[in-house]
Amino acid sequence: MAEENDFRHWDELIPDALGLIFSKLSLQEKLTVIPRVCKSWAKAVLGPYCWQEIDIEEWSSRRQLDNVDRMLQMLINRSGGSLRKLCVTGLHNSSIFFSIADHAGSLQTLRLPRSNISDAVAEQIAGRLCAVTFLDLSYCDKISACGLESIGKNCKALVGMCRNLHPLHTAGISSPDDEAYTIASTMPKLKHLEMAYHPLSTKSLLTILSSCPDLEFLDLRGCGDVRLEDKFLAEKFPKLRVLGPPVRDVYERNEWDEGSDYSYISEDLAWDFSADYFDDAGSFDDQWDDEGRLEGLELRFYEGIDEDNEAFGWPPSP
């Protein structure tokens, strides 16, 4: 007699288990492939278990700004207030920052490089970011010491801060030490601090070192006005690892730099989809027959990414 099979079908897994599995997939796979497998998977990918960690930083760096805001808003809504990690670049609409703050009750890691967050916005949302322990505001040109002060006073658990600047954007800063003094006075629990290409002085840096006794990593690449001897650091701060100030490698290029030779990766396999497919107000039920199979499904693979694509950056079918 054949033994009874104790294995459960994939479509019978509980939603949080499916969410853990699906979190290992790419954004494109979660949005265009998983919903077409079966009803239970389609419902799981609409729920919060798949979106407790949202990392679209690489994807957003290659897309039009309006599409980035639209995509992020959809994913935040799906997180259902359970968001723990958010990484995205290039946000430009003030309303999206307020939406992030409204869903930040469990948010611990927040990376917003190259975003247009201002001092006024930071002051209004900082009180709702109190759970954040790691924050990246690198290359955010509209925020200053005032905005950082609001964040530091409200984010008491902050242990990681990235505030790198672009070397071309530091010229003409009227008060180069203001941000350093603000960090020293409002973020005493920091263990990780990045301030690459800041025009800060040795005096303001020493204030940070004395005010943040738990500091373990400090990025000072490109901080040409800082003068610290290795012997002094080894004696006074033996557990601190310092990167810089000398820049020994080529400054990291990105696709936003003028003259970038970045091109889309042609090896990626693209899936057909339409923009309307991602409307959370819709239902997947109409696509399935009574046995849970997708009727009339046709999947196509093809190579190449069209730079003039629609919706979120993936191409229409050929």
Side-chain angles (χ1 to χ4, degrees):
M1 179 184 297
E3 295 184 0
E4 183 178 354
N5 190 348
D6 293 331
F7 292 102
R8 298 179 63 182
H9 294 290
W10 279 88
D11 60 352
E12 296 177 356
L13 288 176
I14 57 178
D16 53 346
L18 287 174
L20 181 61
I21 296 171
F22 295 160
S23 66
K24 306 299 182 182
L25 302 177
S26 69
L27 175 68
Q28 184 173 342
E29 289 171 326
K30 284 189 286 188
L31 293 180
T32 64
V33 180
I34 296 302
R36 300 182 178 185
V37 176
C38 62
K39 275 187 177 181
S40 63
W41 286 24
K43 291 179 180 178
V45 83
L46 285 174
Y49 298 105
C50 286
W51 309 106
Q52 293 177 349
E53 295 188 2
I54 300 175
D55 187 349
I56 58 172
E57 186 171 351
E58 181 179 358
W59 177 88
S60 59
S61 67
R62 309 172 185 178
R63 301 296 183 259
Q64 296 180 0
L65 299 180
D66 290 338
N67 287 337
V68 172
D69 285 355
R70 179 186 170 201
M71 172 69 83
L72 181 59
Q73 185 62 68
M74 182 191 71
L75 299 183
I76 289 176
N77 292 340
R78 289 189 181 188
S79 72
S82 62
L83 189 59
R84 295 196 302 257
K85 177 181 179 181
L86 174 60
C87 305
V88 60
T89 187
L91 298 181
H92 72 293
N93 193 332
S94 296
S95 62
I96 196 66
F97 299 114
F98 290 98
S99 181
I100 292 172
D102 290 339
H103 294 79
S106 302
L107 187 60
Q108 297 177 341
T109 299
L110 180 59
R111 290 184 175 272
L112 302 173
R114 299 179 180 86
S115 295
N116 286 341
I117 182 171
S118 64
D119 289 337
V121 170
E123 292 171 1
Q124 294 179 65
I125 69 173
R128 286 172 281 174
L129 301 178
C130 56
V132 172
T133 60
F134 194 99
L135 179 63
D136 186 352
L137 295 177
S138 297
Y139 321 114
C140 297
D141 299 330
K142 291 188 176 181
I143 195 170
S144 68
C146 294
L148 294 181
E149 182 179 9
S150 298
I151 292 171
K153 288 181 177 180
N154 287 276
C155 302
K156 300 296 185 180
L158 202 62
V159 296
M161 180 70 187
C162 297
R163 186 66 182 115
N164 302 309
L165 300 181
H166 195 291
L168 298 180
H169 296 163
T170 58
I173 295 180
S174 57
S175 302
D177 289 321
D178 284 357
E179 290 193 15
Y181 286 128
T182 297
I183 290 173
S185 62
T186 63
M187 306 177 189
K189 296 182 180 180
L190 287 182
K191 295 182 179 181
H192 181 110
L193 177 60
E194 298 182 18
M195 299 190 71
Y197 293 94
H198 260 268
L200 72 165
S201 65
T202 303
K203 181 180 178 181
S204 64
L205 177 60
L206 290 174
T207 303
I208 291 178
L209 294 179
S210 61
S211 301
C212 304
D214 298 327
L215 203 59
E216 298 175 355
F217 177 81
L218 181 61
D219 188 348
L220 295 175
R221 288 175 300 165
C223 300
D225 295 332
V226 172
R227 299 291 185 269
L228 289 177
E229 295 183 359
D230 293 340
K231 182 179 179 181
F232 170 80
L233 290 173
E235 292 177 353
K236 297 294 185 180
F237 310 98
K239 66 177 183 179
L240 177 63
R241 178 191 168 210
V242 179
L243 183 61
V247 180
R248 296 184 175 89
D249 56 351
V250 178
Y251 184 79
E252 181 183 0
R253 294 188 64 189
N254 61 77
E255 56 273 16
W256 285 39
D257 290 338
E258 185 176 359
S260 172
D261 58 358
Y262 178 84
S263 60
Y264 287 100
I265 302 174
S266 60
E267 291 81 5
D268 285 350
L269 293 175
W271 290 78
D272 299 350
F273 83 105
S274 66
D276 294 337
Y277 188 81
F278 298 111
D279 186 2
D280 284 345
S283 171
F284 287 98
D285 291 342
D286 294 340
Q287 305 176 49
W288 303 90
D289 61 19
D290 294 336
E291 297 181 1
R293 297 171 302 189
L294 191 61
E295 293 182 331
L297 173 62
E298 179 182 359
L299 301 179
R300 298 183 183 181
F301 292 98
Y302 56 94
E303 297 183 356
I305 300 293
D306 183 3
E307 295 185 4
D308 296 326
N309 44 44
E310 298 178 338
F312 298 120
W314 294 303
S317 57

